[in-house]
Amino acid sequence: NTTTYGSAELGLTIFSGFKAVTTYKKLGELNQIGQLNTQLTVENLISDIVSGYYNYILQVQLMNNLKYALILSRERLRIDEDRYLLGSGSKLEVLQSRVYVNSDSSNLSRQNEVIRSAQIRLNQMMAVENLSNEFSSKDTTIDVNPGLIYDRLLEATMVNNTNLQIASKNKTISDYDYKLILSRSYPYLNFSGGYGYTLSTFEQNISKNQVINGVNYGLTLGVNLFDGNNQRRSIHNSVIDRESKDLRYREVEQGVKADLLTIYSAYNNNLRLISLEEQNFQTARENLDIALERYKLGSLSGIDLREVQKSLLDARERLISAHYQTKLAEISLQLISGKIMEYYK
């Protein structure tokens, strides 16, 4: 006697305490977190590139300042040499002027190295294949935007800040995890169905073959009554996780607000410094013009002229630095408010 049996079965969960829907929503949030992490990396890269670009412009401006210092020193050397030839000056003054020329030339040479390093660093951040590639910038000055308003920046930050969005998504995921654990307490409803086929062959029977086939189906309704308090512990741990993520969100929110306020205060202070340093620079330039005329007439010593010259160069360097620091604050404000990709695209 032989028996051949075959069957096909189908199972389907009709209801599982909203587990499937909640899991789908959680996966959507995880996908958005991945996108936000990528966006955060891109934003930081753009910020670094823009900052590196303006650092290069800063170094070029400092080099121009040193070139101007060298021009002044050479002019002073020319005056001292003419005086010496006419017999109204001393050899000591000529030698001292040459020392100043050599010192300014040395500073200019070192500044060229700084500019080269800034170029290489910028090439690296922009993934230029030839890191030794030399370039010149279209911009020759650092222009700042004096019209940033704190209230608007704060409003944009609370909506667009990437770190804040990631913290919010993590908080939402924690809520979904809590709902997934609660779904275990709901009743579940499963559908099952199948088709069976049986062929029996009898060697010594009047009926040689017997075929049995048919469809079966049914519903299973169940509920988990006791699982060793695992459900209770899971809910307790999930509640703690939700509170932790909520505290983390508040921490990030407070940190972002504090950073925004700090950077904006620095931005405003640097704007005031620009105005002040511009006045100082104009005054120092007028002082140098007067000092040069007095030096030509012999009524001003070489040391005093050098001090006036140094005051002018320092004033110009402080003015350049104030523009640069203001620009860095501006870049940071655009980054923290989530507008840097829009601002510099």
Side-chain angles (χ1 to χ4, degrees):
N1 299 332
T2 60
T3 301
T4 302
Y5 173 79
S7 66
E9 297 181 354
L10 172 67
L12 177 64
T13 300
I14 298 177
F15 179 74
S16 60
F18 308 105
K19 181 179 179 180
V21 176
T22 305
T23 302
Y24 180 79
K25 292 180 179 179
K26 177 183 175 181
L27 292 175
E29 295 294 327
L30 289 173
N31 179 58
Q32 292 182 21
I33 286 181
Q35 295 177 1
L36 288 173
N37 283 324
T38 302
Q39 177 179 320
L40 181 63
T41 302
V42 173
E43 288 177 347
N44 289 329
L45 177 61
I46 292 176
S47 175
D48 291 341
I49 291 176
V50 175
S51 299
Y53 174 74
Y54 284 108
N55 176 62
Y56 169 75
I57 297 177
L58 168 70
Q59 301 306 327
V60 171
Q61 288 184 314
L62 293 177
M63 182 187 67
N64 293 334
N65 196 35
L66 293 175
K67 286 181 178 179
Y68 182 66
L70 183 58
I71 291 174
L72 293 177
S73 296
R74 286 174 176 171
E75 176 63 17
R76 174 182 173 178
L77 176 60
R78 184 193 64 80
I79 295 172
D80 290 339
E81 288 176 341
D82 290 343
R83 284 180 179 177
Y84 179 70
L85 292 175
L86 294 174
S88 60
S90 66
K91 184 69 173 180
L92 179 61
E93 292 177 343
V94 175
L95 294 176
Q96 187 62 51
S97 295
R98 286 179 180 173
V99 170
Y100 290 148
V101 169
N102 293 334
S103 176
D104 292 339
S105 298
S106 177
N107 292 335
L108 182 60
S109 179
R110 284 194 293 268
Q111 184 61 26
N112 283 327
E113 294 181 7
V114 175
I115 290 177
R116 189 68 184 126
S117 298
Q119 284 182 333
I120 295 173
R121 174 59 178 162
L122 198 54
N123 284 333
Q124 179 186 5
M125 288 188 293
M126 294 189 299
V128 176
E129 184 175 355
N130 183 13
L131 293 177
S132 62
N133 180 44
E134 296 186 10
F135 57 86
S136 59
S137 63
K138 180 180 179 181
D139 299 309
T140 56
T141 59
I142 300 177
D143 296 326
V144 298
N145 179 12
L148 297 180
I149 301 175
Y150 176 76
D151 290 338
R152 294 181 181 177
L153 288 171
L154 178 60
E155 182 180 355
T157 299
M158 300 309 297
V159 176
N160 301 319
N161 182 268
T162 307
N163 285 315
L164 202 56
Q165 291 185 57
I166 292 175
S168 177
K169 295 296 181 183
N170 285 325
K171 181 180 175 182
T172 302
I173 289 175
S174 179
D175 292 337
Y176 286 142
D177 287 336
Y178 178 75
K179 292 180 180 179
L180 286 174
I181 295 174
L182 288 181
S183 66
R184 303 174 190 172
S185 303
Y186 287 90
Y188 60 86
L189 178 63
N190 296 330
F191 168 80
S192 61
Y195 175 79
Y197 176 85
T198 303
L199 172 61
S200 301
T201 302
F202 305 99
E203 189 68 26
Q204 301 297 329
N205 199 336
I206 298 176
S207 176
K208 296 291 184 180
N209 299 321
Q210 183 180 12
V211 177
I212 301 175
N213 58 39
V215 177
N216 61 85
Y217 54 88
L219 295 173
T220 302
L221 177 65
V223 63
N224 187 6
L225 297 178
F226 182 74
D227 62 350
N229 290 325
N230 290 329
Q231 175 76 354
R232 183 179 179 180
R233 284 192 294 269
S234 297
I235 292 176
H236 179 70
N237 293 335
S238 181
V239 170
I240 295 176
D241 183 66
R242 291 177 68 189
E243 294 176 352
S244 175
K245 294 297 174 57
D246 184 63
L247 291 174
R248 174 57 183 167
Y249 176 81
R250 295 181 184 180
E251 179 184 1
V252 173
E253 183 181 38
Q254 286 295 99
V256 167
K257 288 181 178 179
D259 291 341
L260 179 65
L261 184 58
T262 301
I263 297 172
Y264 190 79
S265 297
Y267 166 79
N268 270 335
N269 184 60
N270 284 310
L271 284 178
R272 290 191 293 268
L273 283 177
I274 289 177
S275 178
L276 178 62
E277 294 300 340
E278 284 178 348
Q279 296 176 11
N280 291 337
F281 176 67
Q282 295 297 331
T283 303
R285 186 161 57 181
E286 293 177 4
N287 288 340
L288 179 64
D289 293 338
I290 297 173
L292 281 174
E293 292 299 325
R294 292 183 59 190
Y295 187 73
K296 292 177 182 179
L297 297 174
S299 61
L300 186 69
S301 67
I303 295 178
D304 291 336
L305 178 62
R306 184 68 178 182
E307 286 298 322
V308 174
Q309 176 184 340
K310 186 176 183 300
S311 296
L312 173 63
L313 298 176
D314 289 344
R316 189 174 184 181
E317 183 174 336
R318 290 195 304 270
L319 178 60
I320 295 172
S321 178
H323 276 90
Y324 177 65
Q325 294 299 328
T326 305
K327 195 64 179 180
L328 289 183
E330 179 185 332
I331 294 171
S332 298
L333 289 174
Q334 298 296 340
L335 175 63
I336 200 171
S337 61
K339 293 184 176 182
I340 192 165
M341 297 180 68
E342 175 185 350
Y343 190 75
Y344 292 105
K345 67 180 179 179

